[in-house]
Amino acid sequence: MTENPPHLTEGSLNQSNLVGHPFKPMAPSPDSKEPEVPPNNDPKNKVTIYKDQQEVMNVPNIKKSTIFGTTFMITNICLGTTIFTFAVRAKSFGLFWMLFFCFLVAIINYWSIMRCVYASSRCTLDDYSEITEKFLGKRSRFILNIILIVYSYASLMCFIALIFPLFGRFVQSGFYRNDYRDYDHFLDEKWGKPYIKFPFFIGLAFVLSLICLIKDINKLNFSAYIGVAACGYALFVVMVQCNSYYHHYKDTVYKEDDDSTHPNWFNLGDAFTKDLIFFKGIANLIFAYACQSGIFPIYAGFKFQENGLKKMRIGTILGTILTTILHIISIVCGFLTDPVNPEDLIIYRKNKGSGKDIAMVLARLFVSFSLIFTVPGYYFPLRLSVINSFTGGKLTNKFNIIFTFISIFCCALISAIYDKILNYLNYIGFISVFISFLFPALMSIYSSGKPITYWRNMLDLILALIMCAIGLVACVATIIDDVKG
């Protein structure tokens, strides 16, 4: 997943004063533009917006969205380090079934995105929590904000925990290749020592806290491009090198009379062992496609355009297709790189030769660096959810400094102690089902004006509950794994 935040932004429109209060159209002034109408299938609910009325509504000149921009914005939100975990899941799923479920989750995710769009098209708001309050009530908005806070904290801990081993592999493979045979040896003998590990996390937390003190998220827009470029480069390296690594596996590991050395092409049964890998793998895919909360600001740029809903639908389809293509490349190339003993992240993989793999060394460095700017992307929505839920929307300098340093240092401390990346992703996948599926489905149902027994509303609800059940099983299975140690 880019590590761009898939939910609230501090620059989202503030229209909470309109919730539940339909306004009367004002007479246009002589210099007003022709009235524009937001897309809505029900003519009774259509609202006329005039130029001078936009000022009354506190709606700035909204930057128009485009199909091209929407396509890459969705891909940008989804693309992130999660795609490098697909190879280890494909080993249990079988390559064919991993690709099948990737397609299936992509289709269901597109359905969920359009639920968000339809709900947004039935009101004048463009903020996830405000739309939730309009259709589901204040209590639901508060619950959503709590979920977003937990989601943000879990994501922060996951990415901070990921920086340490990834940077360690960069150091080991780039500077200590001849002294330590692999990363585990390097970790035991040097990198994992307390006098290195804890100063690293303290320094990292201090740097991240300074970056996160910035109040305007727009000043870090460049971080999205850094994240996409880093993940894209790493994925390109894996794709280019997978053929040589697969031949290396065939020459050194594969044995015709030993089934344990054979690639798993079609056997889904390995995913239904007592470890419940199937549910964990689906939870990872859910997180990899999570972008629903970021959809509302994107659709705001289409809402008052002619055929805006149709353009949004096309952009969403293209963005989902592009994201799925990148996921497929990661699944196939990551699987072929090491079909039998894949690392948790494919960019952790061991070098097949005795020399240095400069291309992968640089990929690890770039991804490590991009993660430093990924963390603020998840911290800003966390801070916004906290101030909206507990401080009345006010952000003072004192509160900003204290809350930022406490939050980042606490996350760094937990990450230093609990560093199981795949388990983090399982937990985040569980939290994602509420943000990505349950709330969008409920908003669509309640804003449709039709009874819940209507076939489309029933389908929305059933699909959302299925995804929630899968996420719950993945979460419980991961908790059991942690308890067992």
Side-chain angles (χ1 to χ4, degrees):
M1 32 180 31
T2 166
E3 323 302 354
N4 249 12
H7 42 281
L8 304 176
T9 63
E10 294 188 44
S12 61
L13 302 183
N14 179 16
Q15 302 176 359
S16 57
N17 58 312
L18 295 177
V19 177
H21 298 283
F23 49 87
K24 298 179 180 179
M26 297 172 57
S29 59
D31 60 342
S32 295
K33 295 182 179 179
E34 289 296 319
E36 297 175 310
V37 180
N40 193 316
N41 294 329
D42 187 355
K44 296 180 181 179
N45 293 332
K46 290 185 177 180
V47 177
T48 303
I49 306 296
Y50 294 102
K51 177 182 175 183
D52 49 357
Q53 190 172 10
Q54 287 186 345
E55 298 174 1
V56 175
M57 291 172 57
N58 192 27
V59 179
N61 292 324
I62 303 172
K63 183 179 180 181
K64 288 188 176 182
S65 297
T66 64
I67 294 176
F68 179 84
T70 300
T71 299
F72 284 93
M73 182 65 71
I74 291 175
T75 304
N76 179 34
I77 295 174
C78 295
L79 182 62
T81 51
T82 311
I83 65 173
F84 300 121
T85 67
F86 292 158
V88 70
R89 298 309 188 193
K91 175 190 173 183
S92 299
F93 275 68
L95 180 60
F96 170 81
W97 288 108
M98 187 66 186
L99 292 173
F100 171 80
F101 284 108
C102 180
F103 281 115
L104 184 60
V105 172
I107 294 171
I108 297 175
N109 194 70
Y110 165 75
W111 155 83
S112 177
I113 291 175
M114 294 311 299
R115 303 283 79 71
C116 296
V117 172
Y118 294 147
S120 180
S121 70
R122 293 160 183 158
C123 66
T124 59
L125 307 175
D126 77 326
D127 177 89
Y128 195 174
S129 63
E130 291 178 357
I131 295 176
T132 299
E133 179 179 347
K134 179 174 179 62
F135 294 119
L136 304 179
K138 291 184 177 181
R139 184 176 299 177
S140 296
R141 177 179 182 173
F142 179 77
I143 293 174
L144 174 64
N145 281 335
I146 295 299
I147 292 174
L148 290 173
I149 290 171
V150 175
Y151 176 90
S152 298
Y153 270 122
S155 300
L156 286 174
M157 289 184 283
C158 177
F159 294 122
I160 292 175
L162 181 57
I163 293 174
F164 179 74
L166 194 56
F167 192 77
R169 280 171 168 79
F170 159 71
V171 174
Q172 180 264 332
S173 58
F175 301 98
Y176 290 95
R177 182 67 189 170
N178 297 326
D179 299 319
Y180 298 94
R181 58 182 179 274
D182 55 38
Y183 177 74
D184 291 334
H185 185 208
F186 178 65
L187 181 67
D188 294 337
E189 298 294 329
K190 197 174 188 70
W191 191 247
K193 297 295 184 181
Y195 60 83
I196 292 180
K197 184 175 184 179
F198 285 98
F200 179 92
F201 275 99
I202 292 173
L204 178 62
F206 184 76
V207 171
L208 292 174
S209 296
L210 293 178
I211 298 175
C212 290
L213 286 176
I214 298 174
K215 292 184 178 181
D216 184 4
I217 191 175
N218 294 320
K219 293 182 179 179
L220 289 177
N221 282 342
F222 68 90
S223 64
Y225 300 102
I226 293 177
V228 171
C231 289
Y233 171 75
L235 187 60
F236 177 76
V237 172
V238 172
M239 181 175 64
V240 170
Q241 295 182 344
C242 73
N243 183 57
S244 63
Y245 271 82
Y246 182 72
H247 285 294
H248 177 73
Y249 146 77
K250 293 284 287 187
D251 295 336
T252 60
V253 178
Y254 179 82
K255 296 179 182 178
E256 190 171 353
D257 56 349
D258 186 357
D259 291 342
S260 65
T261 65
H262 293 186
N264 181 7
W265 302 107
F266 301 101
N267 183 15
L268 183 60
D270 290 347
F272 286 97
T273 62
K274 62 180 181 180
D275 294 327
L276 300 176
I277 299 298
F278 172 80
F279 298 93
K280 298 174 183 177
I282 298 298
N284 292 167
L285 285 170
I286 290 173
F287 179 47
Y289 278 100
C291 64
Q292 277 74 355
S293 298
I295 289 299
F296 297 99
I298 297 174
Y299 179 59
F302 280 119
K303 188 173 289 187
F304 304 118
Q305 293 185 35
E306 184 178 359
N307 296 321
L309 188 60
K310 180 179 179 181
K311 294 176 182 178
M312 182 65 191
R313 185 183 294 112
I314 294 173
T316 301
I317 292 174
L318 294 177
T320 302
I321 291 174
L322 180 57
T323 301
T324 303
I325 290 173
L326 295 175
H327 287 172
I328 289 172
I329 293 173
S330 176
I331 292 170
V332 174
C333 297
F335 178 82
L336 295 178
T337 296
D338 192 347
V340 177
N341 297 302
E343 298 282 353
D344 288 350
L345 269 71
I346 194 59
I347 56 177
Y348 285 177
R349 60 145 171 80
K350 299 175 182 177
N351 190 5
K352 62 182 175 63
S354 57
K356 294 181 180 180
D357 184 354
I358 300 299
M360 184 54 73
V361 170
L362 292 176
R364 290 165 182 159
L365 175 62
F366 293 158
V367 175
S368 300
F369 181 74
S370 71
L371 285 172
I372 293 176
F373 291 97
T374 292
V375 169
Y378 281 85
Y379 173 76
F380 289 136
L382 164 64
R383 183 175 61 195
L384 182 62
S385 296
V386 169
I387 62 177
N388 283 341
S389 300
F390 302 105
T391 68
K394 297 180 180 179
L395 178 62
T396 63
N397 290 332
K398 182 178 180 180
F399 176 85
N400 187 31
I401 294 172
I402 294 175
F403 181 75
T404 298
F405 274 87
I406 290 178
S407 295
I408 299 298
F409 271 83
C410 286
C411 288
L413 177 61
I414 296 174
S415 300
I417 298 172
Y418 184 81
D419 57 359
K420 299 178 180 179
I421 303 301
L422 290 181
N423 288 6
Y424 274 119
L425 295 177
N426 296 337
Y427 290 129
I428 298 172
F430 168 60
I431 303 170
S432 296
V433 298
F434 296 98
I435 303 171
S436 300
F437 297 104
L438 184 59
F439 275 90
L442 293 177
M443 286 191 297
S444 179
I445 291 171
Y446 279 92
S447 66
S448 68
K450 296 182 179 180
I452 195 171
T453 53
Y454 177 62
W455 72 269
R456 184 170 292 174
N457 288 344
M458 289 296 296
L459 178 62
D460 289 350
L461 184 61
I462 290 172
L463 284 175
L465 292 177
I466 289 174
M467 301 306 284
C468 288
I470 292 174
L472 177 62
V473 174
C475 179
V476 172
T478 306
I479 292 174
I480 294 174
D481 291 343
D482 285 332
V483 171
K484 290 181 177 179

